[in-house]
Amino acid sequence: MDLVLGSLGLDCGTRCCSLDSTEAKSKDTMAAFQLLFPLLASCVAASSPPSRHLPPCQVVQMDVFCSNLSLRSAPVNLPRGVQMLDLSRNQVQNLTRETLAYHTGFHHLNLHSNKIHFIQPGLFKDMTDLKVLDLSRNHLNVFSLSKINIGPLTAVESLDLSSNGLYTGMSDYFLADSPSLANLSLNSNSITKIAQNTFSGALSLTKISLHNNVILEIEDGAFDSLDRLTELDLSKNSITCITDFNLCNLKVLNLSKNSMELFQSTRSTDLYKLLRLDLSENKMLYFPLLPRKNMLEYLDVSRNQLQSINVTGNPEKNTNVFLNDLRYLDMSYNQLKSIPESFFYCMGSLEVLNVSNNCIGSFSITDERLLQTVKIINLSYNSLQSLTFGENALQSLEKLFLQGNDLTTLDHQIFQRLPSIKHLQLQQNNLEICALDQNHRGPPDCVSFSSIPNLQFLYLSENNLRTLPANAFANTPLKLLDLSLNPGLDMDKDSLSGLEYSLVHLLLRENNISSLNTDLSSLRSLKDVDLSTNHLTILPMWIKESSIESLNLQNNNLVTLEYSTMLALEHSLKTLYMGSNPLSCCSNLGFLHMVQHSAVVVPDIETVTCVHEEYSEPVNIEKVTQEMCHRSGIHNYIIVVVVIALLVMILLGLLVRCCHTRKRKHNRSFSA
Ligand SMILES: *[C@@H]1O[C@H](CO)[C@@H](O)[C@H](O)[C@H]1NC(C)=O
Ligand SMILES: *[C@@H]1O[C@H](CO)[C@@H](O)[C@H](O)[C@H]1NC(C)=O
Ligand SMILES: *[C@@H]1O[C@H](CO)[C@@H](O)[C@H](O)[C@H]1NC(C)=O
Ligand SMILES: *[C@@H]1O[C@H](CO)[C@@H](O)[C@H](O)[C@H]1NC(C)=O
Ligand SMILES: *[C@@H]1O[C@H](CO)[C@@H](O)[C@H](O)[C@H]1NC(C)=O
Ligand SMILES: *[C@@H]1O[C@H](CO)[C@@H](O)[C@H](O)[C@H]1NC(C)=O
């Protein structure tokens, strides 16, 4: 439907003249007009249909788009019945009936990013269809200084006054008579206080955004008369506390990025409809005191200063609030040392729990009735030494993030008890992996990863792992296994058996491996292998045709690449990283051919160099030619020829001498 039905402005004949007669001509349109004048004359002479050169505005059905044209007012020849006018990013200063070409039938007026500092009082009174009015990024603070009301905003439902330099009290001149206003943005102004009567002329408000102001004070009852208010955004202000939160009808409250130290609801037993509460990035020392009867689904208290889950400084005063509908709880980036199991008693619907980046040393869920619905637990970057899950606890848990802790010993069957676990991040700990047959005997300090029926993603990098026993992952359908950064890891040759049909990604980066004794060619699904930063001197063997699509061999000690292995790889390989290896130029012509002639992409080709005896510096692999190596072939040939010639000469010499002596002997005997 984006059909351009017409254009405004520079058409032939009277239209141009009428544009010229408006006071609101910009330099640009003038210039265009002068340029077009000869054309215009011929145009009139031929009385051809209106030309559509240089349309300043676009008309799409009843919508007119005049954005960014240096206009000071709307074109006078707006089509009759225009509903939407976009005059954004222009030079409008005075907003009057004249600026809008005396049209009043607008539904939507977009005037953002102009220089409006004056609005004709009563301008919107007759615009009974005007629903959306965007006045953001203007200079309405200047207008406010005149202390004149703009008059009734009869039908306006959505009003944007953001970025207008408005400070406290100034919004009153716009809101005093706004009976239909539902959606108001005052974002990015300089408001410091919300007075009791600020919104008294706009009682239909459902959503107010005050993001990015400097609000320090909200007078008692400022929002009380707004029965329909459901969304209030007070983020990025300077509010320090809320002590009697009583807005029962509010659904979304955003107090992120303030200086909140305290959030307390009234002790009423009314049902609060609040669904989302964002208290992130504040200075809260205590868990918020939430309404007793609530429907809260989303609570973000991340990046505060919580040291415990207590609601006040006095633990005895704590009253448990039921958070039966809570699905998402983020308490990351605080200073929590522990979370007692009882904290979760009243959270029967929780799905996501983020307590990462705290100082939690021990975490346990033993009661199987707790957290039955939780799918994600993020405990990363704490100081966990102990982790306990009871029999049948956490039956829905799919993702568990435990990276960056101090885990050394765990109950070795801990993960087998989580029937839904799919994704396990254990990097940066100190774990040891049990062998399959160790599971029941219980050697000290190991954790088993075999027979975890749904585990697909396992991250074990940076664990100081020393050995990877045979069948370590038997009966666990791993798709991704990250064993990187475990230098000196001794992998049993059967350590990956059982993963033949599931493993897709294998990461063995920075493991100090000098030769891989595990046969990767039995891993039929393997597509992505990272062996970078090791000490490999030969390529791992691929006996069968491989399925590998991406192989990273950067930063190893590879000199010669086995041609048969390259052939086994070539038909599936799409990406190969090979930089920083001491390759020999002329013994890798097979690889060279592959780089130059097959579809394999070598993203780090700039750093793939090889050593050539005739060059003091390593040569970039792309610059190597067959001839460079042929030449040295010829050299060798010459050497061989010379050597043979020498040998022949020596032999001949010997032969000659031999004959001589015989002759003499003969002579002697004859003479004797
Ligand atoms: C805007 O309107 C005011 C009041 O009507 C007038 O004094 C002023 O000159 C006008 N400014 C421009 C730029 O037209
Ligand atoms: C409210 O107004 C803002 C800014 O003008 C706009 O982005 C948002 O979509 C509007 N919301 C509703 C529900 O009308
Ligand atoms: C709260 O506001 C911040 C911006 O300051 C935004 O990033 C965040 O998503 C908002 N929270 C919610 C729950 O909408
Ligand atoms: C907390 O973790 C959840 C789920 O893992 C994530 O969506 C959220 O962004 C995290 N919070 C922060 C502050 O990063
Ligand atoms: C875990 O939470 C941290 C914030 O604390 C976040 O940065 C990280 O992305 C989260 N992890 C996941 C996988 O969501
Ligand atoms: C890495 O391997 C080299 C020999 O290949 C060995 O000397 C060194 O100790 C190993 N380093 C570690 C941390 O295992």
Side-chain angles (χ1 to χ4, degrees), residues 85-266:
L85 173 62
D86 180 357
L87 258 183
S88 62
R89 301 176 207 278
N90 281 297
Q91 305 286 334
V92 180
Q93 295 184 345
N94 273 4
L95 187 58
T96 60
R97 289 194 178 91
E98 197 176 7
T99 352
L100 296 176
Y102 300 99
H103 283 261
T104 53
F106 303 109
H107 291 203
H108 185 159
L109 264 181
N110 187 348
L111 290 157
H112 87 75
S113 303
N114 276 279
K115 295 179 174 161
I116 300 172
H117 53 70
F118 179 78
I119 299 177
Q120 185 171 17
L123 176 66
F124 303 107
K125 186 167 171 263
D126 300 327
M127 298 195 184
T128 49
D129 292 320
L130 184 63
K131 298 247 156 55
V132 182
L133 176 58
D134 187 346
L135 290 167
S136 58
R137 295 184 182 272
N138 279 287
H139 305 309
L140 294 179
N141 53 338
V142 178
F143 171 67
S144 306
L145 290 174
S146 64
K147 300 193 192 298
I148 306 170
N149 273 334
I150 60 166
L153 291 176
T154 315
V156 174
E157 289 172 4
S158 185
L159 174 64
D160 195 338
L161 293 170
S162 55
S163 302
N164 266 291
L166 300 175
Y167 45 89
T168 307
M170 287 184 160
S171 60
D172 298 4
Y173 306 112
F174 304 91
L175 303 178
D177 196 356
S178 314
S180 307
L181 193 60
N183 182 8
L184 170 67
S185 172
L186 283 163
N187 292 348
S188 304
N189 282 293
S190 307
I191 298 165
T192 53
K193 181 172 116 176
I194 306 295
Q196 208 175 19
N197 61 351
T198 302
F199 303 110
S200 56
L203 295 177
S204 304
L205 278 169
T206 61
K207 178 179 175 183
I208 303 175
S209 302
L210 285 155
H211 169 79
N212 195 21
N213 278 275
V214 268
I215 298 168
L216 287 157
E217 192 190 347
I218 299 175
E219 279 187 358
D220 252 2
F223 299 103
D224 283 5
S225 51
L226 304 175
D227 291 335
R228 301 190 204 161
L229 188 66
T230 56
E231 245 186 276
L232 181 55
D233 185 354
L234 289 164
S235 60
K236 211 165 177 216
N237 277 286
S238 309
I239 302 166
T240 53
C241 71
I242 292 201
T243 46
D244 286 306
F245 175 65
N246 64 347
L247 301 175
C248 295
N249 292 324
L250 210 58
K251 290 189 175 152
V252 181
L253 175 58
N254 196 338
L255 284 160
S256 171
K257 301 187 186 171
N258 277 274
S259 309
M260 297 274 296
E261 287 170 19
L262 200 65
F263 178 92
Q264 292 192 332
S265 312
T266 56

Side-chain angles (χ1 to χ4, degrees), residues 245 248 265-272 290-294:
F245 175 65
C248 295
S265 312
T266 56
R267 302 249 113 216
S268 122
T269 51
D270 294 340
L271 175 66
Y272 282 63
L290 299 163
R292 263 189 222 179
K293 278 178 85 181
N294 67 72

Side-chain angles (χ1 to χ4, degrees), residues 486-489 511-514 535:
N486 288 295
L489 175 66
N511 273 357
N512 204 21
I513 301 173
S514 47
H535 295 140

Side-chain angles (χ1 to χ4, degrees), residues 468-471 490-497 500 516-520 522:
L468 192 63
N471 305 307
D490 178 15
M491 291 173 73
D492 186 280
K493 73 175 174 40
D494 294 323
S495 57
L496 302 179
S497 65
E500 285 81 2
L516 197 64
N517 60 353
T518 314
D519 178 14
L520 298 184
S522 60

